[in-house]
Amino acid sequence: MSDKYAPRDWHPDERPTLPGSPSFPQHTPRRRLAFFLVGTLVTLTGGLGNSLVTVNLINLQGALGAYASEVNWLPTAYVMTNASMNLLLVKFRQQFGLRAFTEFFLVLYALVTFAHLFVNDLGSAIAVRAAHGMAGAALSTLGLYYTLQAASRREIRPRFIAASLGISQLPQPIAYLFSTRLLELANWRGLYLFELGLTLVTLSAVLWLKLPPGDRFKAFRPTDFLTFALFAPGVALLCAALTFGRVLWWTSQPWVGVALAGAVFLIVAAIAVEHNRRNPLLNLRWLTNGMIARLFLAMMLVRVVLSEQSVGAVGFLRLVGLNNDQMTMLFLVVLLATVAGIAIAVLVMNPQHLMGPQVVALLIMALGAWIDSHATSLTRPEEMYVSQAMLAFGGVLFLGPLLLTLMGTVVTNPGNLITFSVLFSLTQNIGALLGSSLLGTWQVTREKFHSSILAEQLSSLDPLVAARIQRGAAAYAGTLADPAARTRQGISVLAQTQTREANILAYNDVFLAIAAIAAFLALWIFGRALWLMYVAPPAAPPAKGHTALDEGPAEPPTDSPIATPEGQPPLPVPRHPLPHNEITR
């Protein structure tokens, strides 16, 4: 075994928390601040690229000469590659080291961003967005590692995890604030010029301030690439089906069903390969554990709830005729609420009690969605400031404790690190697509229902309806001399109004559904907390003076699922169990 893979003799306070993560040497206050600022910059850089595209799809549609349905391939291609890259990225960090990981993927990210400037049609744009998704998958983890270096003590690292996760929610409101100005600067290339400049600044920052080294060991095995070759296309097909099932409608395009069937086949094949491996990439036993299944479901449901902003509020405001320019103040409020949520999440974070903030956050989001459910055709962004601020605040407050709970189970067994990374990436990427797909499908279904009800009530024999048709026809008196033609235009105007009102009622149903999901999830978590408190047997007390994220390595037990082949060092496993809290029981 070469020296580069030999484990180092770390001081207990410096020992890396997980395989592939950096060590934690003591830093001066000024250096800790620098790490936090660089971590924030890296996180924002990784998120802004996709957000700038997502919030400007209408503008990109014209620039690329694509149909409204075709332009949806741009964000979908990004997610298709981004969602499954953590299968390989974790082992890349473990085998080649953090510095190689940092510099390679940031340079790759810059090159892919530069390639955007030469895109001239939809096909090349999709290919570049797919490459962007692969490179961008590394930046969220890199931002977290930089942010954790800012923690002066082990005990406060969970607070910085919550802060990093909250910062990752900032790119979308930021993109709404100034992306229109970038489009005015250089059309769609203005977006990528800005992103390229931001990427080069980030690359300079990480080359100037390098992460401390961690342990390295041989991690890749040949079968890893077989699993990836099955799992990644399966996830990509699932992403395509979820996106275009709603856009093109589920039963109208046969290829959507074929993509779903192919996704199921490939993902099941990858699971079958992993199930029979001695050292699997995905720990299926851990993944099907009752607690992990509950956390997975909770993360998926909360992503559906958080889709209220992108699918519900933005879709509603565009329905009533507003564009990004007219939503600037709304997203400034959302940005400020997100920052406030980050501050509160950091202040109230307590690894021993993680359910309380989650319940409060979900109730806040449920109330915000319920307020939006009273929207009318006269509702404008000003009437949604409070509700959208509540949703943004609650989303940040909820995600931190939930991620910390899941990470705590990984710290007790680092062999689950890849499974955890894939699980979290899937819930964030696939969960967002699933939320958009489900809510969009529900909106279309409810619009058809409300249209049929309204159409039944619009009879030309009704004096009010007849008067409305006449008012609509009078608007064309100066351009149409034929009374029959004016009447037809009046009927057309009334039909358009009916469709708009049916869509508004459908969006109200979407907001109500989101409020119901958030309230159900809050009730579920609160009920489980009561069950654990009064019914479940008490858990073993934690070792005194230890927290969930500061343990060092020890030899794995003989039945450890992370045992390594002969001649390779074992992966580090913490000496002490995860401390007692309400969820991990």
Side-chain angles (χ1 to χ4, degrees):
M1 178 173 57
S2 61
D3 292 339
K4 64 181 180 180
Y5 294 132
R8 305 190 186 190
D9 186 16
W10 298 104
H11 185 276
D13 291 334
E14 298 182 354
R15 184 179 294 123
T17 303
L18 291 167
S21 67
S23 56
F24 292 93
Q26 291 296 318
H27 301 298
T28 63
R30 180 178 298 181
R31 192 172 178 83
R32 287 200 302 271
L33 176 61
F35 271 114
F36 182 80
L37 294 177
V38 172
T40 301
L41 180 62
V42 171
T43 304
L44 292 178
T45 301
L48 266 175
N50 194 45
S51 296
L52 288 172
V53 171
T54 303
V55 304
N56 291 287
L57 285 181
I58 295 177
N59 300 299
L60 293 174
Q61 175 188 342
L64 296 173
Y67 291 106
S69 60
E70 293 175 337
V71 79
N72 282 281
W73 277 108
L74 296 179
T76 304
Y78 181 92
V79 176
M80 288 166 71
T81 55
N82 185 275
S84 54
M85 276 303 294
N86 278 311
L87 273 173
L88 299 182
L89 290 181
V90 174
K91 287 199 170 185
F92 186 98
R93 293 196 303 269
Q94 293 171 349
Q95 181 158 332
F96 297 103
L98 272 169
R99 291 185 178 175
F101 169 83
T102 301
E103 295 166 9
F104 175 79
F105 280 98
L106 262 175
V107 170
L108 179 62
Y109 193 87
L111 291 174
V112 172
T113 305
F114 180 69
H116 277 82
L117 301 177
F118 301 96
V119 167
N120 295 309
D121 56 23
L122 182 64
S124 57
I126 292 172
V128 173
R129 292 307 299 162
H132 213 192
M134 289 188 288
L139 268 65
S140 58
T141 303
L142 186 61
L144 174 62
Y145 285 158
Y146 267 94
T147 304
L148 285 176
Q149 291 297 315
S152 58
R153 304 188 313 275
R154 305 176 187 179
E155 293 78 10
I156 64 173
R157 286 179 198 163
R159 300 178 187 272
F160 283 83
I161 292 174
S164 181
L165 189 62
I167 292 169
S168 69
Q169 307 302 309
L170 295 176
Q172 183 157 343
I174 290 176
Y176 275 103
L177 294 182
F178 64 85
S179 60
T180 303
R181 305 293 181 270
L182 297 176
L183 290 168
E184 293 173 355
L185 174 67
N187 205 338
W188 61 273
R189 285 184 173 85
L191 301 177
Y192 299 125
L193 282 171
F194 171 81
E195 187 182 0
L196 177 60
L198 186 63
T199 304
L200 294 177
V201 170
T202 303
L203 179 60
S204 301
V206 300
L207 291 176
W208 166 68
L209 186 66
K210 296 181 181 292
L211 282 171
D215 284 325
R216 294 172 57 188
F217 50 88
K218 289 187 67 66
F220 281 112
R221 298 180 176 89
T223 318
D224 295 342
F225 300 98
L226 173 61
T227 299
F228 182 79
L230 293 170
F231 188 80
V235 170
L237 289 174
L238 179 61
C239 292
L242 288 177
T243 299
F244 290 95
R246 174 180 65 91
V247 173
L248 303 175
W249 202 244
W250 302 95
T251 57
S252 298
Q253 296 293 329
W255 74 262
V256 173
V258 174
L260 277 175
V264 171
F265 174 80
L266 290 172
I267 293 174
V268 170
I271 291 173
V273 171
E274 290 297 286
H275 179 72
N276 294 301
R277 290 184 63 185
R278 179 183 175 188
N279 297 287
L281 271 173
L282 300 174
N283 187 346
L284 301 177
R285 294 179 181 175
W286 179 77
L287 198 59
T288 55
N289 176 274
M291 184 196 73
I292 302 303
R294 288 191 296 271
L295 290 173
F296 175 78
L297 179 60
M299 286 191 290
M300 293 293 286
L301 288 176
V302 82
R303 291 309 306 180
V304 173
V305 172
L306 291 176
S307 297
E308 197 269 12
Q309 206 166 75
S310 58
V311 177
V314 173
F316 171 82
L317 292 174
R318 285 180 175 161
L319 171 69
V320 296
L322 304 184
N323 56 33
N324 289 356
D325 278 341
Q326 295 160 306
M327 291 186 275
T328 301
M329 284 303 299
L330 172 63
F331 281 96
L332 178 60
V333 171
V334 169
L335 178 63
L336 295 176
T338 305
V339 172
I342 295 171
I344 297 300
V346 170
L347 290 175
V348 304
M349 179 64 67
N350 183 352
Q352 301 294 331
H353 303 287
L354 298 173
M355 280 188 172
Q358 295 179 55
V359 173
V360 172
L362 286 166
L363 292 177
I364 291 173
M365 288 190 283
L367 181 58
W370 180 80
I371 293 173
D372 282 344
S373 68
H374 296 81
T376 67
S377 58
L378 300 178
T379 299
R380 293 298 180 266
E382 293 78 9
E383 284 78 37
M384 305 184 83
Y385 285 171
V386 174
S387 60
Q388 291 303 301
M390 294 173 70
L391 282 154
F393 179 89
V396 174
L397 187 61
F398 179 87
L399 288 174
L402 190 66
L403 175 63
L404 188 61
T405 302
L406 190 58
M407 285 189 70
T409 65
V410 178
V411 172
T412 58
N413 190 345
N416 298 328
L417 179 59
I418 298 176
T419 311
F420 156 76
S421 300
V422 173
L423 177 65
F424 186 73
S425 178
L426 287 178
T427 55
Q428 297 304 293
N429 289 286
I430 305 297
L433 283 182
L434 181 63
S436 299
S437 181
L438 290 178
L439 296 180
T441 301
W442 179 244
Q443 192 274 333
V444 172
T445 304
R446 297 302 295 172
E447 186 272 330
K448 301 302 180 187
F449 170 78
H450 289 298
S451 287
S452 65
I453 298 298
L454 293 176
E456 291 177 358
Q457 300 174 0
L458 296 179
S459 170
S460 59
L461 300 178
D462 188 332
L464 293 177
V465 175
R468 186 66 178 266
I469 293 174
Q470 290 302 316
R471 284 200 301 270
Y476 294 89
T479 57
L480 292 176
D482 185 1
R486 290 200 300 270
T487 300
R488 286 195 297 271
Q489 289 297 327
I491 294 173
S492 175
V493 170
L494 181 60
Q496 292 172 12
T497 303
Q498 172 212 318
T499 301
R500 184 194 65 196
E501 293 300 321
N503 273 290
I504 290 172
L505 292 172
Y507 273 110
N508 286 340
D509 290 343
V510 168
F511 296 139
L512 275 177
I514 293 170
I517 293 172
F520 165 76
L521 191 54
L523 183 63
W524 176 33
I525 294 176
F526 182 69
R528 179 158 179 79
L530 293 179
W531 183 84
L532 291 172
M533 186 179 299
Y534 296 108
V535 179
K544 185 177 180 181
H546 293 276
T547 61
L549 298 174
D550 59 8
E551 300 300 338
E555 293 299 324
T558 55
D559 60 347
S560 170
I562 58 169
T564 54
E566 295 76 3
Q568 296 185 18
L571 300 185
V573 178
R575 300 176 189 275
H576 301 285
L578 180 70
H580 162 70
N581 64 57
E582 298 97 323
I583 295 184
T584 54
R585 290 176 58 192

